[in-house]
Amino acid sequence: MNLTICAPCHFGVEGLLADEMRRLDLKNVRAENGRVRFDGDENDLAKASIWLRCAERLLIEVGSFEAPTFDALFEGVKALPLERFLPKNAAFPVRGHCINSKLFSEPDCQSIIRKAAVTRLSEKYHVSWFDETGETIQLRFTILNDTATIYLDTSGDGLHKRGYRPAHVAAPLSETLAAAMVYLSRYRGRDDFCDPFCGSGTLPIEAALIARNRAPGLKRRFAAEQWSCIPEHVWQEARADAPGHEYNGDYRIFGSDLDPAAVKMAKENAALAGVAGDISFELADATAFDRKTERGVLVTNPPYGERIMEKSEAERLYEAFGKAYFASENWKLFLLSSHTEFERTFGKNADKKRKLYNGMIKCDLYMYLGVLPQQGNAL
Ligand SMILES: C[S@@+](CC[C@H](N)C(=O)[O-])C[C@H]1O[C@@H](n2cnc3c(N)ncnc32)[C@H](O)[C@@H]1O
């Protein structure tokens, strides 16, 4: 089956996701704003579902057309070969978004798309009633600048749900963004890795999965595994192939947090992810950070002062952590924060910055690439 597959992702992560796809040997990879697309078949879909660390979900594109009016939307959907994917008894709920378009009522577009799909399938299957008792195929749509695109959601739960984090702290990092941060730190399992504000352990766990080259989706199921248009063996083969790509190393990955409940949760989550043996979690105050290493990366997201602490409290924490960090040696630092005063309070401008979005929160990843002894406030 020839497919075009679209993977939405966090803004700022498109290039990393495109690189992941090229490493998987996927074809015609195109990075766009907030998404990356590729062409392939059902084997590529299964491989991408199991392996991609930075994609939010995988959508099969059924078609795209101009839709400035409801009539155009109806006719456009009715012309799509939906019967290629949807059997007679499929349930096909519809959801989606209208952005910057003449059609702006999402509920109205939803019902037009459903009506058009029913019309198309009635004609193809010669039935007038669908009991929808079979597999569920979620239709998604976007209408962007008057162009409608209709997708099938192959993932179901978002791909950030790896299956290892039933419990998390109040402001957890999404697993997909955590993986992107680990990629940006260039950690590959050789140097030491540490997250001194580890919360539920997402960053150390993603680091361990990357170090081991373990497929992040191995422990979960995908909506398209229930679809009759994709043979079961495709998924079985992709799953069976994955463990052969794993490395076995002696990793030095550390996570710590001030909150005993977070440390306990992080340990449990690491066990569920099957990487408990690779990570040492402990109760520790990041402002007393003095871990010794020959070479290491600190990858972390401390409280921002938006969701957990007040701003001034976060500033005091950044200042105290900055003092501890600049007194330590041999650690590069990759720190995610939405706090606009981060660099000033931390005590030094970052060597590099990269804009990333943690959900709807605009953040910067502050990168300190070589530690110099502190010479007062450099700003
Ligand atoms: C934004 S959360 C980190 C979330 C984490 N990345 C995750 O995915 O679950 C910040 C964490 O910093 C911890 N924290 C706050 N002050 C700390 C300190 N002085 N030392 C260590 N941890 C601290 C909080 O307990 C919280 O778990």
Side-chain angles (χ1 to χ4, degrees), residues 105-182:
S105 162
E106 286 160 4
D108 286 339
C109 292
Q110 211 166 303
S111 65
I112 295 284
I113 291 170
R114 237 194 100 78
K115 269 187 203 143
V118 168
T119 307
R120 167 87 190 191
L121 295 170
S122 307
E123 283 172 17
K124 292 289 161 188
Y125 290 126
H126 308 290
V127 292
S128 55
W129 173 254
F130 293 93
D131 60 12
E132 300 195 38
T133 52
E135 62 206 62
T136 298
I137 301 192
Q138 173 77 58
L139 299 193
R140 286 186 179 257
F141 69 90
T142 58
I143 305 181
L144 173 64
N145 299 327
D146 295 330
T147 298
T149 308
I150 307 296
Y151 304 97
L152 310 178
D153 181 351
T154 72
S155 303
D157 281 340
L159 294 179
H160 67 279
K161 294 203 172 166
R162 322 283 207 212
Y164 68 70
R165 203 176 71 179
H168 55 72
V169 294
L173 195 60
S174 130
E175 294 84 340
T176 45
L177 188 58
M181 287 169 63
V182 176

Side-chain angles (χ1 to χ4, degrees), residues 168-171 195-201 255-267 281-286 303 308-309:
H168 55 72
V169 294
D195 176 1
F197 297 90
C198 74
S200 30
S256 47
D257 201 285
L258 201 54
D259 175 2
V263 175
K264 180 169 175 282
M265 213 181 283
K267 285 181 180 168
F281 286 109
E282 63 175 27
L283 192 65
D285 185 344
I308 301 179
M309 282 178 161

Side-chain angles (χ1 to χ4, degrees), residues 75-344:
E75 293 304 326
V77 173
K78 197 170 133 248
L80 296 177
L82 291 167
E83 63 285 357
R84 245 183 104 194
F85 307 99
L86 275 67
K88 207 192 226 170
N89 62 351
F92 47 99
V94 180
R95 62 190 292 191
H97 303 290
C98 302
I99 304 155
N100 201 22
S101 297
K102 293 188 193 72
L103 297 182
F104 58 84
S105 162
E106 286 160 4
D108 286 339
C109 292
Q110 211 166 303
S111 65
I112 295 284
I113 291 170
R114 237 194 100 78
K115 269 187 203 143
V118 168
T119 307
R120 167 87 190 191
L121 295 170
S122 307
E123 283 172 17
K124 292 289 161 188
Y125 290 126
H126 308 290
V127 292
S128 55
W129 173 254
F130 293 93
D131 60 12
E132 300 195 38
T133 52
E135 62 206 62
T136 298
I137 301 192
Q138 173 77 58
L139 299 193
R140 286 186 179 257
F141 69 90
T142 58
I143 305 181
L144 173 64
N145 299 327
D146 295 330
T147 298
T149 308
I150 307 296
Y151 304 97
L152 310 178
D153 181 351
T154 72
S155 303
D157 281 340
L159 294 179
H160 67 279
K161 294 203 172 166
R162 322 283 207 212
Y164 68 70
R165 203 176 71 179
H168 55 72
V169 294
L173 195 60
S174 130
E175 294 84 340
T176 45
L177 188 58
M181 287 169 63
V182 176
Y183 278 143
L184 287 168
S185 77
R186 295 183 185 275
Y187 173 72
R188 297 292 181 272
R190 283 182 284 279
D191 302 339
D192 289 7
F193 181 101
C194 179
D195 176 1
F197 297 90
C198 74
S200 30
T202 320
L203 280 160
I205 293 170
E206 290 297 319
L209 294 173
I210 287 174
R212 289 196 157 269
N213 199 34
R214 176 169 300 163
L218 215 46
K219 286 186 171 256
R220 57 157 283 168
R221 297 272 152 184
F222 307 97
E225 289 186 64
Q226 305 300 322
W227 299 0
S228 46
C229 60
I230 300 179
E232 220 178 304
H233 68 85
V234 164
W235 300 96
Q236 286 164 354
E237 283 160 20
R239 279 216 169 77
D241 172 70
H245 296 275
E246 273 193 33
Y247 314 129
N248 239 330
D250 206 2
Y251 306 111
R252 287 174 49 87
I253 303 174
F254 306 95
S256 47
D257 201 285
L258 201 54
D259 175 2
V263 175
K264 180 169 175 282
M265 213 181 283
K267 285 181 180 168
E268 287 165 3
N269 292 342
L272 279 176
V275 292
D278 298 326
I279 312 172
S280 309
F281 286 109
E282 63 175 27
L283 192 65
D285 185 344
T287 64
F289 179 80
D290 65 352
R291 188 175 288 285
K292 302 281 174 283
T293 184
E294 282 179 18
R295 288 163 64 88
V297 286
L298 291 172
V299 185
T300 195
N301 81 305
Y304 300 159
E306 275 188 38
R307 289 192 285 185
I308 301 179
M309 282 178 161
E310 288 309 312
K311 263 194 143 139
S312 57
E313 230 180 308
E315 288 176 7
R316 279 196 296 279
L317 177 63
Y318 295 161
E319 189 183 344
F321 178 53
K323 285 198 175 114
Y325 171 67
F326 291 116
S328 71
E329 288 176 359
N330 305 326
W331 288 98
K332 290 180 182 171
L333 171 65
F334 298 79
L335 183 146
L336 187 76
S337 179
S338 65
H339 198 304
T340 46
E341 294 300 305
F342 172 75
E343 288 169 295
R344 184 181 57 76

